[in-house]
Amino acid sequence: MRKSSKGHRNSPAKPAGHLPVFYSSTYTVSAYEFDTTRKATWVAESIREQTIPGVELIAPVPVSQVILEKVHDPEYVEAVRRGTPRELAESGGLEWDVRLWDAVSASNGGIVAAAKKAQQSRAHAGSLSSGLHHASAAHGKGFCTFNGLALAAREVVAAAPRRVLILDLDAHCGGGTYSIVRHWPAVVHLDISVSSFDQYRVEASTPSTLDLVTDATRYLPTLHERLSGLNEIEFELVIYNAGVDPHQHCQIGGLPGITSAILTERERIVFEWARRRRVPVAFVLAGGYVGGNLSQEALVGLHRLTIAAAALGNGGATLTADKISSVAGMAQRESRSSRAPRSDSTRL
Ligand SMILES: [Zn+2]
């Protein structure tokens, strides 16, 4: 019987560690129907139906108006709360309704909670909200109302002896975030995009970078090089905007040649870098849109890769793409949806 410890060590039964993931159905109560306002519930339901080992869904406290106004102009915050002036309230692109405030307060509360949890526990955490990286201090943009990445960074840097890295791998540029954090010395903004939407110029005096990748073969090498370039900096926390819209099947941002396998490897690179540096990651879902060749099932599957990589990271073992794919349940999900046509590139 004592020898069972050896068997346990080699067993894949417990590959993942505990992973707090913040989510509330309030994230998705706004009337405006769009993937960004609905996706959190799709992913939460998939986790309830097909567990990712270690994941615990936790309802966050909504972010307060006081916290919102540390990053956003009070006039803009008030416009979103009251719905007037309507043009400003809807500047993010979401039609205003009485539940929009509840939805954005809850979802931004999720990313702030994930960042604080990761900072305090020194382990990865996440939220099924989005980073909302196009929102700037004075207005929204590109389906982003309040900038959750900046709000989370603002809440953790005050108590942080080290810097905070905002890692933005959404397909689109995070110009809204950069416009807010560019003068925050405690924040480094690493942005790798495949679309020029919301492009911006990085000030040369900072370690922040923006890369616009147009050749899929350069996507992972660019990520590897940029992360390696930050090896001399001690980070308190990574806030990771884990968009899957670079996927070639995503009609809003996808780059031909970026496959599911490449996004799996991307998650491995990010969480392996974090594991070796002993820096916790607070992740959010970010872009990724149903349409064309990307079904809702496939989209949810791509977001599960990030969650699986984080759970494995909290387990402490070296990450491999096979482990991430397995814990995410990609094989089972693909066989379940095998009636849908797919190209070889989606196979892992
Ligand atoms: Zn995007």
Side-chain angles (χ1 to χ4, degrees), residues 14-346:
K14 286 190 175 180
H18 176 244
L19 179 70
V21 175
F22 290 88
Y23 166 73
S24 148
S25 57
T26 310
Y27 284 16
T28 59
V29 294
S30 66
Y32 191 87
E33 290 260 359
F34 183 57
D35 295 28
T36 304
T37 64
R38 295 293 181 265
K39 185 159 62 176
T41 293
W42 303 342
V43 176
E45 283 172 357
S46 102
I47 290 170
R48 287 173 180 141
E49 286 166 13
Q50 186 187 0
T51 308
I52 293 176
V55 170
E56 180 187 7
L57 294 178
I58 302 168
V61 175
V63 76
S64 69
Q65 192 161 351
V66 171
I67 288 176
L68 287 168
E69 290 180 359
K70 290 179 182 175
V71 165
H72 291 283
D73 293 355
E75 297 76 17
Y76 175 47
V77 174
E78 192 63 9
V80 174
R81 191 173 74 83
R82 296 164 54 90
T84 182
R86 187 57 63 100
E87 193 178 343
L88 184 57
E90 296 183 341
S91 55
L94 305 180
E95 206 170 283
W96 190 89
D97 75 287
V98 291
R99 302 305 307 275
L100 178 65
W101 174 261
D102 296 333
V104 297
S105 301
S107 59
N108 282 296
I111 181 170
V112 169
K116 285 184 168 177
K117 183 72 177 174
Q119 181 184 31
Q120 288 158 7
S121 65
R122 309 304 300 160
H124 309 321
S127 172
L128 301 184
S129 42
S130 287
L132 307 171
H133 61 164
H134 302 311
S136 59
H139 58 81
K141 179 179 177 180
F143 303 108
C144 302
T145 304
F146 297 130
N147 194 307
L149 303 169
L151 286 163
R154 176 69 179 71
E155 287 306 296
V156 297
V157 290
R162 292 160 290 201
R163 288 205 259 191
V164 170
L165 173 63
I166 295 177
L167 174 62
D168 191 341
L169 300 185
D170 186 274
H172 306 94
C173 304
T177 311
Y178 190 72
S179 72
I180 296 170
V181 306
R182 64 190 172 137
H183 295 309
W184 296 2
V187 175
V188 177
H189 192 237
L190 194 169
D191 190 346
I192 299 174
S193 306
V194 299
S195 159
S196 62
F197 181 77
D198 209 12
Q199 195 169 5
Y200 55 95
R201 181 185 293 273
V202 178
E203 292 174 19
S205 59
T206 78
S208 295
T209 53
L210 169 63
D211 291 283
L212 184 53
V213 173
T214 54
D215 171 0
T217 64
R218 288 295 308 151
Y219 188 65
L220 295 178
T222 301
L223 173 62
H224 183 75
E225 288 159 19
R226 288 303 189 189
L227 285 175
S228 299
L230 297 177
N231 280 343
E232 300 303 312
I233 301 176
E234 289 283 325
F235 287 107
E236 175 83 359
L237 175 71
V238 177
I239 300 172
Y240 177 25
N241 200 38
V244 296
D245 46 358
H247 193 282
Q248 62 182 1
H249 290 165
C250 185
Q251 288 181 317
I252 308 177
L255 179 66
I258 296 195
T259 61
S260 301
I262 284 180
L263 291 183
T264 308
E265 179 64 8
R266 182 189 80 175
E267 303 313 276
R268 190 197 68 78
I269 290 170
V270 168
F271 284 94
E272 260 303 284
W273 181 83
R275 190 182 71 83
R276 289 198 304 272
R277 304 288 312 277
R278 298 177 190 274
V279 57
V281 176
F283 67 85
V284 284
L285 304 179
Y289 306 94
V290 171
N293 290 321
L294 193 61
S295 67
Q296 183 175 318
E297 172 100 2
L299 173 65
V300 168
L302 292 173
H303 283 303
R304 288 172 64 96
L305 292 169
T306 306
I307 302 166
L312 282 165
N314 279 354
T318 304
L319 274 79
T320 66
D322 282 348
K323 279 188 199 168
I324 294 169
S325 175
S326 170
V327 169
M330 286 299 265
Q332 300 98 301
R333 295 178 67 78
E334 289 207 336
S335 67
R336 241 189 5 238
S337 60
S338 57
R339 282 169 299 166
R342 68 181 184 210
S343 74
D344 283 342
S345 61
T346 61

